[in-house]
Amino acid sequence: MTENTKMNVNQKEVDITIEDINQSEDVSLETDTAIEEFFTANPNTPLADDFKAGYVAIVGRPNVGKSTLMNHLLGQKLSITSRKPQTTRHRIHGILSNHEMQAVFVDTPGIHRNEVRAINERMNKAAVSALVDVDLVLFVVDSDQWRDDDLLTLQKLGETDLTVVLVINKADTLKDKGSILPLIETFSDSFDFADIVPVSALKNQNLDRLQAVIASHLPIAEPMFDTEQITDRSERFLASEIIREKIMRSAGDEVPYDLTVQIDAFKDEAAHTDPKTGRPRKACTFIDATIYVERGGQKAIVIGDKGQRIKQVGMDARKDMEQLFDKKIMLTLWVKVKRGWSDDERALTSLGY
């Protein structure tokens, strides 16, 4: 408040009664009490004496719903999803905390046999390396499909002494619910699973049961992360994944996996007054990203007719980012051709693989 403003206030005629003063004091006391309660009360539920914590790897062949499962367990979209297999390319940590446990989920790329390019080999290595130093493995399979890549994953698990829980996903799609029983028997004969839990990740069915099973197999330990934290990944990484998801969903089968996203700039701007217009501007994060494809034809597909596809991708990605980051986002996208990046070791390293 300026000095002139103070003078104007002081010059006003004031008519205050004793009753007004008493009411003012009552309001002040209520406010003081509310403030004191806010700062002295513990907003978090006390942790259980036998609190459990550990790392939980989510493994399985491509496209069985690993990312969807983690997202629904967390109650927060963290890992990108699409109908295409091998959507997940990186290990992503999602953190689920309650007063009884903290499970740090490791969502991995699908383990697959076809290692045609360097990126496929790196994805397999990322998935297998996730099995190092975890406390529990969730082996996710499709309720009505048992494939060679499932056997490959099971073979990798057999080379460890890890505790493995079989999660039969998409159980809601079975027309005959009784048909899941021989399926469970078949799985049980192939591996010594600690537990078997049928679920529908997409429809949130039986996930409470799965959480209880996870907690039962974790060691008693202190939380490894703040209980309010949901991931150890940076906002830059999450932004790039959101953009990639929107392209894959929008382009469908038109664009293969020969695309990646690099965040070129990520700048937070505090609320301020625009020096040119004098108008107040809200806090905002400015994100510049480049979408790399391998061929010119793919660039045209990503951009779309008169730029409509890339415009829609930007709008959808910005909406998801604002919801996830809880702040205003200004997003700028470019599309460039980087030939052979998915089979170039140096390019893969520079792009974060």
Side-chain angles (χ1 to χ4, degrees), residues 72-264:
H72 282 264
L73 283 168
L74 295 174
Q76 171 75 57
K77 184 173 181 179
L78 193 63
S79 189
I80 71 171
T81 60
S82 84
R83 293 184 180 275
K84 291 186 176 184
Q86 302 172 31
T87 301
T88 300
R89 292 178 179 170
H90 308 268
R91 290 193 311 185
I92 301 172
H93 288 173
I95 305 167
L96 172 64
S97 302
N98 55 42
H99 75 286
E100 295 179 341
M101 72 161 183
Q102 182 176 86
V104 183
F105 295 109
V106 186
D107 184 21
T108 64
I111 297 176
H112 52 288
R113 295 184 185 276
N114 189 17
E115 296 185 4
V116 178
R117 295 170 299 176
I119 188 172
N120 299 107
E121 183 179 354
R122 290 204 179 193
M123 287 165 64
N124 266 350
K125 286 182 179 179
V128 174
S129 65
L131 300 177
V132 178
D133 296 329
V134 299
D135 301 283
L136 180 66
V137 175
L138 302 183
F139 175 41
V140 184
V141 298
D142 198 315
S143 63
D144 62 352
Q145 295 182 18
W146 179 259
R147 298 180 180 175
D148 288 345
D149 283 344
D150 292 310
L151 296 174
L152 174 63
T153 305
L154 205 56
Q155 179 185 341
K156 299 291 185 183
L157 293 175
E159 297 170 0
T160 74
D161 58 356
L162 294 167
T163 302
V164 181
V165 171
L166 176 66
V167 180
I168 304 177
N169 193 24
K170 308 177 185 178
D172 60 304
T173 62
L174 292 175
K175 294 181 179 180
D176 179 12
K177 302 304 177 185
S179 64
I180 200 170
L181 297 177
L183 185 66
I184 290 175
E185 185 177 349
T186 300
F187 288 143
S188 298
D189 291 341
S190 61
F191 194 89
D192 185 18
F193 295 105
D195 271 295
I196 298 177
V197 187
V199 304
S200 171
L202 190 60
K203 296 186 177 180
N204 286 320
Q205 292 178 359
N206 216 27
L207 296 189
D208 289 344
R209 165 64 181 157
L210 180 58
Q211 283 193 35
V213 168
I214 292 169
S216 70
H217 292 293
L218 293 181
I220 294 177
E222 294 294 319
M224 296 170 288
F225 297 91
D226 188 296
T227 54
E228 297 299 314
Q229 192 173 341
I230 64 167
T231 184
D232 64 343
R233 283 289 193 169
S234 69
E235 290 185 339
R236 293 177 70 104
F237 172 82
L238 295 174
S240 69
E241 288 289 272
I242 289 171
I243 295 166
R244 187 164 65 88
E245 177 194 54
K246 300 310 175 187
I247 299 169
M248 295 180 71
R249 285 179 171 269
S250 172
D253 294 329
E254 293 183 79
V255 178
Y257 295 98
D258 303 337
L259 69 88
T260 192
V261 178
Q262 178 175 283
I263 302 299
D264 303 311

Side-chain angles (χ1 to χ4, degrees), residues 317-331:
R318 180 177 56 80
K319 183 178 179 181
D320 272 16
M321 289 179 201
E322 289 183 340
Q323 184 175 358
L324 180 61
F325 303 149
D326 194 25
K327 54 186 175 183
K328 182 176 175 59
I329 300 293
M330 292 294 290
L331 177 63

